[in-house]
Amino acid sequence: MLEIKNLKKSYAEPDGGELPILDIPAWKVESGEQVVVVGSSGCGKTTLLHITAGILRPTSGHVFIDGWDIPLLTEAERDVFRAKRIGYVFQTFNLLQAFSALQNVLIGMTFSGKHDKNRARHLLERVGLAHRLHHKPSQLSVGEQQRVSVARALANSPKLVLADEPTANVDVGNQQQVIDMLRETCKEENVALILVTHAPDVAGQFDRVDHLPEINLVLKQKTTHSHHK
Amino acid sequence: MRLWQIALNSIRYRSLSSVLTAFSMSLGVALVVSVIVIHNVISDSFNRSAQGYDLIIGPKGSALEVVLSTVFYLKAPVGTVPREFLDELETGKYSNAVEHAIPVTIGHHYRMCPVIGTSQDFFTKLEFMGGKKYVFTEGRNFETDAHYEAVVGARAKIKGGLKLGDEFRPADLGDYSDAANDQEDHSPFKVVGFLGATGTPNDNAIFVNINGFYGMHDIPVPEDGTSGEDGTEEDEDHDHDFSAILVMTKQVSAGSKLTTEDLLSGNIPDAEQMNRMRPDLAAMALPALIDKTGDAQAVSPSKEITFLFDNMIGNVQVVLIMLAVLVIVVAGIGMMVSIYNTMNERRQEIAIMRALGARRTTVMAIILLESILLSLGGGILGVLIGHGLIGIINPWISAYTGIVVELWKFQWSELILIPGLVILASVTGYLPAVVAYKQDVASSLKP
Ligand SMILES: Nc1ncnc2c1ncn2[C@@H]1O[C@H](COP(=O)(O)OP(=O)(O)O)[C@@H](O)[C@H]1O
Ligand SMILES: [Mg+2]
């Protein structure tokens, strides 16, 4: 479903040099699979997800999703691809403040062209927000907001959901509920899930746990280097 | 959700700033609407009030002043027309060209209403607004032999606070003291009838039997004419003269068409020839004949009113329209600034939409739509305010000119506002829309 080959990403530095962030020779996720990617803060997790979603372009390499090589698509094509095949849950500020919970889910459908109010309602009911359809984000707790994001990520029946530390800002008591909702709904809809986190207790619940330093050569070299010291 | 619904939602979310921006836009639009409506309705009324007669035989001098005093009762007459003209028009040498000739004497008032001396024919023979007859809502027309009877216009009834049977004394124009209304050196006039509203300056007027005027002490004298020591003699001479004579000429009757030959013979016929001419052709020659006498002039009210409108009111209007457009442009800039200022707080919002799969052009369109919806909303509000504004100044205009502006009369020319506002909104929305277009997604998604 997702196959990354020789992916390299580096950021331009102010002094004109290049700062390598990612160097992933090979990484695969099967369809319907749930993977957690663990790594400490600043190790490139968000960058990896952005590249996978086509929001960022890699410096070089391939990102195949359903046979499409994402970096080869134009920006507009990547936008359409993202609207139709990828759901995204961010760490914070997930929701559009001007819109109700239901509208936030419907907005995702607007850009993909599939307008289905019943499905939007159904998904919000599924994440336990049947009574919060017309509440604005400011009227919802952070945990509830993240559940709306989960519903929105699934709105267009994507192939892949990317979740970037979805519980980092949620109070401890509600974190598990958000993770459960995310995992259950992805399973029900047979959607692959890649969740990145630096929280060990979240990672521990997944069957497949990938450590970014293991798959990312940039970080491997750094750790080897420090060992020698 | 459709894009315009998304835009509308953003507008509602920032309701205070939206309302303020739309309101400033609506003020400009209200100004444009008032100018357009007043222009159309007044130009309409101006033209229609003159109907019923196509010539004014008035005192020599400015033709425009003759119209202002005779049609609109806005100023004192500049002189008098010798009485002989009426006889010549009715039965004498000009009669072949004349359908009706009605004398008027202007220059008195009662409680701010002009008091016009005229004959009962004014109400039976003249029509207004192209074919409407005067109607008496109460009472009757005055009798020719009853010298001290009066008929009151619809607005003058309210302004003068008059009832059937009331008696009043008109005062000389320019003298507004209460004493002026109470002088007892002539018999008072008695109200015998009330006219229905006509939408013309006549609504404002009180009409009295012209014969009663001659019994009054103070007959109007020329404004800049001789008053003073030798004025008494002058007054004696002009005692039975008129301020003007309203003339309805014979119209081109069916079947009789003007020939080029007729039109090209530029010579002014003499009275003898007049009587042998076809009446409609005689009517064409009438103004020149009157002017030739040197004692009066023939004024075409519609020509003067058109001139007045195009040259004076028209210019004021161009200035007003320009001012209004300026207000709209300033409101447009205000709208641009207000949307532009929200762009910073909307980085997140735009980044989320992009992450959800919105293209650059889509977020740009949403911002442009927001700008367009705001100005159209302001525009609709402005149309309502504009018509409301006219409603407020309506009684004032009516009171001073007798012209009734129809408040909700929608003018088709107002429709030009729609494309105008859309273009303006697209121009002013462009800058913030480009900001949205250019925004980088990845960096805006970082917490
Ligand atoms: N636009 C950028 N320009 C330069 N460096 C960047 C940029 N974005 C991220 N980085 C750097 O790349 C590294 C990885 O960032 P990120 O992917 O956000 O890490 P994580 O999500 O794992 O915390 C960080 O060291 C960060 O400073
Ligand atoms: Mg991150």
Side-chain angles (χ1 to χ4, degrees):
Chain A
M1 205 244 101
L2 168 70
E3 187 174 2
I4 285 174
K5 276 185 187 165
N6 300 322
L7 178 73
K8 285 187 179 157
K9 175 71 185 174
S10 51
Y11 287 114
E13 282 190 296
D15 58 15
E18 296 266 302
L19 174 68
I21 302 293
L22 295 176
D23 181 359
I24 304 176
W27 193 57
K28 261 182 144 177
V29 175
E30 299 305 329
S31 68
E33 198 180 4
Q34 302 199 342
V35 185
V36 68
V37 177
V38 188
S40 55
S41 187
C43 74
K45 303 185 296 294
T46 299
T47 304
L48 175 62
L49 292 192
H50 279 171
I51 289 172
T52 307
I55 291 171
L56 267 184
R57 240 187 167 138
T59 310
S60 64
H62 304 279
V63 179
F64 294 103
I65 298 176
D66 281 349
W68 298 86
D69 193 357
I70 304 302
L72 290 184
L73 301 177
T74 65
E75 187 187 53
E77 285 167 343
R78 279 182 278 139
D79 289 337
V80 174
F81 188 87
R82 186 162 62 246
K84 293 193 167 163
R85 315 246 176 148
I86 292 174
Y88 213 124
V89 180
F90 315 104
Q91 181 178 333
T92 45
F93 308 121
N94 249 304
L95 302 181
L96 295 160
Q97 298 298 311
F99 300 85
S100 70
L102 182 62
Q103 286 172 327
N104 261 282
V105 178
L106 288 172
I107 251 184
M109 295 172 159
T110 302
F111 304 130
S112 73
K114 301 179 206 163
H115 190 89
D116 187 345
K117 208 167 186 168
N118 285 334
R119 177 166 168 80
R121 273 177 207 279
H122 163 78
L123 285 167
L124 283 168
E125 281 163 19
R126 179 63 191 84
V127 296
L129 294 173
H131 57 303
R132 291 278 188 273
L133 294 182
H134 302 292
H135 285 57
K136 292 268 165 71
S138 58
Q139 298 164 313
L140 300 172
S141 73
V142 181
E144 287 171 327
Q145 289 183 34
Q146 292 303 76
R147 274 143 66 194
V148 175
S149 311
V150 170
R152 189 180 62 190
L154 291 162
N156 291 323
S157 307
K159 289 281 154 63
L160 174 63
V161 166
L162 306 171
D164 193 348
E165 309 199 40
T167 55
N169 287 54
V170 180
D171 56 300
V172 183
N174 287 305
Q175 286 181 354
Q176 193 54 49
Q177 195 182 15
V178 173
I179 298 293
D180 288 346
M181 289 297 175
L182 190 54
R183 296 192 64 186
E184 286 167 18
T185 48
C186 282
K187 193 164 199 116
E188 286 163 18
E189 306 252 334
N190 193 29
V191 178
L193 169 67
I194 301 173
L195 186 147
V196 305
T197 182
H198 63 264
D201 52 325
V202 174
Q205 305 174 24
F206 284 73
D207 295 335
R208 177 177 162 188
V209 182
D210 287 6
H211 292 269
L212 195 54
E214 302 278 307
I215 51 177
N216 184 1
L217 295 183
V218 173
L219 297 164
K220 237 179 184 170
Q221 282 154 7
K222 271 187 192 161
T223 33
T224 331
H225 189 69
S226 53
H227 269 292
H228 282 287
K229 261 192 174 174
Chain B
M1 292 182 94
R2 298 187 183 278
L3 292 189
W4 67 264
Q5 288 172 308
I6 294 175
L8 197 63
N9 235 293
S10 297
I11 290 174
R12 267 190 278 170
Y13 182 64
R14 282 167 258 275
S15 50
L16 180 65
S17 109
S18 301
V19 164
L20 290 178
T21 348
F23 185 68
S24 68
M25 179 62 72
S26 74
L27 289 186
V29 171
L31 251 167
V32 172
V33 166
S34 339
V35 173
I36 290 177
V37 171
I38 292 180
H39 167 87
N40 289 356
V41 175
I42 289 190
S43 70
D44 229 34
S45 312
F46 263 55
N47 294 332
R48 115 200 342 166
S49 58
Q51 279 168 5
Y53 46 89
D54 53 8
L55 269 189
I56 302 171
I57 313 300
K60 287 180 299 169
S62 153
L64 190 54
E65 287 188 69
V66 169
V67 171
L68 288 179
S69 70
T70 312
V71 178
F72 298 104
Y73 312 131
L74 286 175
K75 64 192 302 298
V78 291
T80 55
V81 176
R83 185 178 181 83
E84 297 76 59
F85 276 93
L86 183 62
D87 304 327
E88 295 290 2
L89 288 161
E90 280 182 324
T91 51
K93 58 187 175 195
Y94 311 128
S95 59
N96 187 27
V98 175
E99 191 83 49
H100 313 298
I102 294 156
V104 288
T105 305
I106 300 156
H108 285 68
H109 72 93
Y110 175 72
R111 292 190 182 160
M112 308 290 284
C113 302
V115 173
I116 316 299
T118 187
S119 74
Q120 59 168 201
D121 293 349
F122 193 102
F123 309 105
T124 54
K125 293 191 174 157
L126 292 187
E127 293 170 341
F128 61 95
M129 285 187 202
K132 291 194 190 168
K133 303 258 186 222
Y134 285 95
V135 175
F136 286 88
T137 51
E138 277 177 73
R140 56 171 173 81
N141 201 344
F142 50 70
E143 300 288 345
T144 307
D145 296 335
H147 288 195
Y148 293 98
E149 287 189 342
V151 160
V152 181
R155 283 198 69 81
K157 175 184 179 183
I158 299 158
K159 271 167 79 179
L162 293 166
K163 305 184 303 292
L164 277 186
D166 278 359
E167 295 192 334
F168 67 95
R169 288 189 167 81
D172 208 355
L173 202 61
D175 182 0
Y176 289 99
S177 63
D178 281 345
N181 286 333
D182 293 336
Q183 51 184 308
E184 301 219 352
D185 43 15
H186 62 85
S187 308
F189 289 97
K190 187 178 163 194
V191 177
V192 297
F194 289 106
L195 292 163
T198 61
T200 70
N202 289 333
D203 288 354
N204 234 5
I206 298 172
F207 300 89
V208 300
N209 191 327
I210 198 163
N211 296 318
F213 255 80
Y214 305 134
M216 280 171 56
H217 170 78
D218 48 348
I219 288 301
V221 289
E223 211 179 36
D224 51 351
T226 43
S227 57
E229 272 92 289
D230 54 350
T232 359
E233 252 180 284
E234 286 275 334
D235 282 359
E236 288 300 316
D237 283 0
H238 293 294
D239 250 12
H240 287 212
D241 290 346
F242 307 116
S243 298
I245 301 167
L246 314 177
V247 173
M248 186 70 201
T249 57
K250 292 220 167 91
Q251 301 299 299
V252 181
S253 46
S256 78
K257 286 213 177 72
L258 289 179
T259 66
T260 7
E261 234 170 280
D262 291 331
L263 285 170
L264 288 178
S265 62
N267 295 330
I268 302 170
D270 58 22
E272 270 300 300
Q273 290 168 309
M274 277 280 283
N275 280 324
R276 296 198 305 270
M277 282 172 83
R278 234 169 54 193
D280 49 331
L281 295 181
M284 289 177 69
L286 184 61
L289 269 176
I290 301 275
D291 291 349
K292 218 172 80 176
T293 62
D295 296 325
Q297 64 171 329
V299 177
S300 158
S302 62
K303 196 177 117 199
E304 291 306 316
I305 287 165
T306 307
F307 175 83
L308 174 77
F309 208 79
D310 292 350
N311 289 282
M312 298 166 84
I313 296 173
N315 284 342
V316 171
Q317 221 154 28
V318 169
V319 171
L320 278 178
I321 289 269
M322 269 161 46
L323 266 177
V325 167
L326 204 71
V327 172
I328 289 185
V329 168
V330 169
I333 293 170
M335 191 165 71
M336 174 167 75
V337 170
S338 124
I339 295 180
Y340 188 83
N341 281 341
T342 66
M343 293 316 289
N344 212 17
E345 65 187 67
R346 291 164 83 157
R347 287 176 63 83
Q348 207 83 41
E349 196 177 299
I350 289 163
I352 293 169
M353 290 202 258
R354 291 294 311 280
L356 291 175
R359 299 189 205 182
R360 285 188 194 274
T361 46
T362 310
V363 292
M364 186 175 179
I366 290 172
I367 302 292
L368 274 178
L369 270 174
E370 225 173 276
S371 174
I372 290 170
L373 287 176
L374 259 182
S375 29
L376 282 183
I380 291 168
L381 187 67
V383 169
L384 297 181
I385 293 178
H387 284 279
L389 224 66
I390 298 161
I392 291 167
I393 59 168
N394 199 14
W396 187 82
I397 293 182
S398 310
Y400 279 85
T401 64
I403 295 164
V404 178
V405 182
E406 284 164 53
L407 169 59
W408 286 111
K409 201 168 167 188
F410 178 82
Q411 306 291 323
W412 285 108
S413 35
E414 288 175 45
L415 285 180
I416 196 166
L417 283 165
I418 294 174
L421 286 175
V422 170
I423 289 169
L424 178 74
S426 311
V427 171
T428 57
Y430 188 74
L431 181 68
V434 164
V435 171
Y437 180 90
K438 287 195 170 160
Q439 191 186 308
D440 179 59
V441 189
S443 61
S444 310
L445 285 174
K446 296 268 164 74

